């Protein structure tokens, strides 16, 4: 049994007689990209079982709307609007509606406390969850677009533009859905706001713009999914105006950056309460 020297003990004793304890250094904070990938994989694994049935519902809902509109719309610009709006509606159902419900439930149940204890940036939590939910919209959106093209005899030559429409519209709608879920004071209100947002995407996205009243048309311009719908609808032309398509996608990307930034701020605000 060894006895510590008196000098060593004295160095650790303060003036009031309390022993000074050296604090252990904290682990470095995780970088954004690795943390984002980790959250994305975790959310993707979790949502794979719980959200796939709802994805089928979203796809069948959009296809059912196109079948109903087939008896009213013959072709032309109206057919393009119906197919494009129904395709983006799948994104709105998952990325906006379900994500608003998820973050509303997470906030109400105290699940945000778990993420707050992790050494990950708030942006990684929001972007990881938004990316995972938006990823589930890819098969449903593609199936809806192909089915609509067959129903309305539209060309499928430029459907590759979905590779840009899905992530950009998904980012804008997912950011909006996350912000609604995090800012809503109650879980039920987050669910209601998500449902209202999806209904707005349905009414303002599927119906042709020239059939809408003036004030409603202004509301359509404020909806993030509108620019994804417009970009996809323009590609059904024989010779699409790619400059206008690129402009619509650029607006959609800018809205996505803003909505995800607001969602990140809302996450910080909700996590510290």
């Amino acid at each position: 049994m060894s006895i510590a020297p008196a000098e060593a003990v004295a160095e650790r004793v303060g003036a009031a007689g309390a022993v000074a304890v050296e604090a252990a250094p904290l682990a470095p904070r995780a970088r954004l990209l690795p943390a984002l990938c980790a959250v994305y994989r975790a959310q993707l694994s979790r949502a794979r079982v719980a959200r796939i049935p709802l994805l089928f519902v979203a796809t069948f809902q959009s296809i059912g709307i196109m079948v109903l509109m087939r008896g009213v719309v013959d072709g032309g610009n109206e057919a393009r609007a119906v197919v494009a709006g129904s395709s983006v509606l799948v994104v709105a159902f998952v990325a906006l509606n379900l994500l608003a419900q998820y973050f509303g439930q997470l906030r109400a149940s105290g699940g945000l406390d778990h993420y707050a204890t992790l050494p990950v940036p708030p942006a990684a939590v929001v972007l990881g969850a938004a990316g995972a939910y938006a990823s589930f919209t890819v098969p449903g959106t593609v199936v809806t677009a192909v089915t609509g093209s067959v129903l309305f005899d539209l060309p499928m030559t430029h459907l590759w533009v979905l590779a840009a429409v899905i992530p950009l519209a998904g980012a804008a709608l997912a950011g909006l859905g996350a912000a609604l879920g995090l800012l809503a004071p109650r879980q039920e209100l987050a669910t209601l706001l998500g449902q209202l947002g999806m209904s707005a995407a349905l009414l303002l996205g599927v119906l042709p713009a020239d059939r809408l009243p003036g004030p409603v048309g202004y509301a359509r311009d404020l909806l993030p999914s509108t620019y994804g719908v417009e970009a996809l609808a323009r590609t059904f032309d024989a010779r699409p105006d790619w400059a206008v398509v690129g402009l619509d996608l650029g607006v959609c990307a800018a809205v996505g950056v803003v909505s995800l930034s607001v969602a990140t701020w809302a996450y910080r605000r909700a996590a510290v309460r």
Side-chain angles (χ1 to χ4, degrees):
M1 180 176 179
S2 61
I3 300 176
E7 294 82 4
V9 176
E11 291 178 359
R12 294 171 182 252
V13 177
V19 178
V21 180
E22 297 180 0
L26 297 176
R29 190 176 184 83
R31 292 177 297 174
L32 176 61
L33 187 58
L36 172 61
C37 295
V39 174
Y40 174 81
R41 288 194 300 266
Q43 290 290 337
L44 197 65
S45 176
R46 176 189 177 277
R48 187 177 302 166
V49 177
R51 303 306 179 191
I52 283 183
L54 294 175
L55 175 60
F56 281 109
V57 172
T59 305
F60 291 148
Q61 171 184 265
S62 295
I63 293 177
I65 291 172
M66 291 190 300
V67 172
L68 291 175
M69 295 296 291
R70 185 66 180 86
V72 180
V73 176
D74 294 329
N77 293 332
E78 295 179 349
R80 300 185 185 99
V82 169
V83 175
S86 299
S87 301
V88 178
L89 181 61
V90 179
V91 182
F93 183 87
V94 177
L96 195 161
N97 183 27
L98 297 185
L99 198 59
Q101 295 182 33
Y102 170 71
F103 272 109
Q105 179 184 7
L106 199 67
R107 183 171 182 240
S109 62
L112 290 180
D113 297 338
H114 166 71
Y115 286 106
T117 60
L118 299 177
V120 296
V125 178
V126 174
L127 293 176
Y133 274 70
S135 297
F136 275 97
T137 68
V138 174
T141 305
V142 172
V143 169
T144 302
V146 171
T147 304
S149 300
V150 173
L151 280 175
F152 291 93
D153 297 324
L154 297 177
M156 292 185 281
T157 307
H158 305 298
L159 282 184
W160 54 265
V161 80
L162 287 172
V165 171
I166 294 175
L168 294 179
L173 293 171
L176 179 60
L180 292 176
L182 290 167
L183 293 176
R186 297 177 57 187
Q187 179 182 350
E188 296 80 6
L189 186 57
T191 301
L192 175 61
L193 292 175
Q195 292 284 352
L196 290 176
M198 189 199 67
S199 299
L202 168 61
L203 297 175
L204 302 179
V206 174
L207 295 178
D210 54 359
R211 297 286 187 92
L212 298 174
V216 180
Y218 294 126
R220 183 177 184 270
D221 294 336
L222 297 176
L223 192 66
S225 59
T226 297
Y227 302 96
V229 172
E230 292 290 339
L232 180 58
R234 296 181 194 279
T235 61
F236 289 120
D237 295 335
R239 294 182 178 179
D241 189 343
W242 293 110
V244 181
V245 172
L247 180 61
D248 287 330
L249 292 176
V251 173
C252 199
V255 174
V257 171
V258 173
S259 65
L260 288 172
S261 300
V262 173
T264 302
W265 169 81
Y267 169 80
R268 290 194 185 100
R269 179 175 177 270
V272 298
R273 285 191 169 186

